[in-house]
Amino acid sequence: DAGITQSPRYKITETGRQVTLMCHQTWSHSYMFWYRQDLGHGLRLIYYSAAADITDKGEVPDGYVVSRSKTENFPLTLESATRSQTSVYFCASTSSSNTEAFFGQGTRLTVV
Amino acid sequence: GQQVMQIPQYQHVQEGEDFTTYCNSSTTLSNIQWYKQRPGGHPVFLIQLVKSGEVKKQKRLTFQFGEAKKNSSLHITATQTTDVGTYFCAGPYSGGYQKVTFGTGTKLQVIP
C-alpha cells in the first residue's frame, strides 16, 4: 500500500539551478496538487491537475512548472531556483468523487 | 480572492484542558474539511462537514459548521499529548470543487 510518495525527501540546491520534485500515487486518483508550506502561511496551492494532460495554476504558480503525462505522476519543476522557494512541498491527490485529500510525506527544499 | 483564516495561530494548553480553534471564510463554502498535521509530518484528513449547522463528533473532537456556512470550529475536550500538532481547516475554491484553500492553521501544544 504505497499510496502517495514524494522524492526526494530532502534537497539542497543552489540559486539558479533547475530542480524537479517527484510525486507518484498508486490510487489512480484523478486530481493531484502541489502545495508549499511556509511558517505563517499555511498550505498554499501552487498547481493542480484534474487529469492527465490537464493542469492549472493555483495561488502561487510563479517560478514553477508542472506536467502530467501519466495519471500517477505529477512532477513539479523549479526552473531557476530562488531562495524564496525554500520551503516544504507537499503533493496531494483526491478522487473525482471525494474532496478528501491524501498527502505525501513532503519534500524539504533548501535553496542556498 | 477567497480567504480562510484561523484563530488562534498558536495555543498552549495544560493536558486535560479544552481547546478550540475557529475558522472563518470570506465566502460561503459548499463544505469544509479539517486536517491535522503532527510535527514533522504531513496533513491528515479528519472530517468533512457539508450541511449548514452540522455538528460531528469523533471521540473527544467536536466539529461544527456555521449556519451561514462561512465559519467552522474544532473543539477538543480534555486534551492529551497525542493531540499536539497543527489543525487546518480547508474549503473549496469558488467554482473548483476539488481544489481547496487551506486556512492558516492553529498550532496546538499540550503541556503534560
Side-chain angles (χ1 to χ4, degrees), chain B residues 66-88:
Chain B
E67 294 290 340
K69 301 183 79 172
K70 293 181 72 174
N71 58 75
S72 182
S73 65
L74 159 59
H75 179 82
I76 302 178
T77 303
T79 54
Q80 300 176 358
T81 54
T82 53
D83 296 325
V84 164
T86 301
Y87 293 85
F88 293 97

Side-chain angles (χ1 to χ4, degrees), chain A residues 10-111:
Chain A
Y10 303 91
K11 177 75 176 178
I12 300 174
T13 192
E14 294 179 338
T15 300
R17 289 197 181 265
Q18 183 181 84
V19 61
T20 296
L21 310 184
M22 305 300 292
C23 179
H24 174 80
Q25 52 107 351
T26 59
W27 293 305
S28 298
H29 282 168
S30 300
Y31 291 83
M32 295 187 75
F33 309 85
W34 275 106
Y35 292 91
R36 60 177 290 173
Q37 184 172 37
D38 305 289
L39 200 61
H41 290 280
L43 290 152
R44 292 183 290 175
L45 182 64
I46 304 171
Y47 267 96
Y48 77 104
S49 169
D53 297 321
I54 300 174
T55 62
D56 204 353
K57 296 177 180 179
E59 186 183 353
V60 288
D62 293 343
Y64 303 95
V65 174
V66 293
S67 62
R68 193 157 176 218
S69 57
K70 292 183 178 181
T71 300
E72 60 266 30
N73 296 324
F74 191 39
L76 175 74
T77 297
L78 287 67
E79 294 184 296
S80 177
T82 64
R83 289 196 181 89
S84 65
Q85 292 177 310
T86 292
S87 187
V88 179
Y89 291 85
F90 287 100
C91 178
S93 71
T94 69
S95 70
S96 56
S97 59
N98 196 330
T99 55
E100 174 184 350
F102 295 86
F103 283 80
Q105 301 286 73
T107 295
R108 184 174 293 275
L109 176 68
T110 302
V111 183

Side-chain angles (χ1 to χ4, degrees), chain B residues 28-42:
Chain B
T28 301
L29 301 170
S30 58
N31 66 79
I32 196 154
Q33 301 171 13
W34 285 92
Y35 291 78
K36 176 184 178 180
Q37 184 178 22
R38 294 182 186 276
H42 59 280

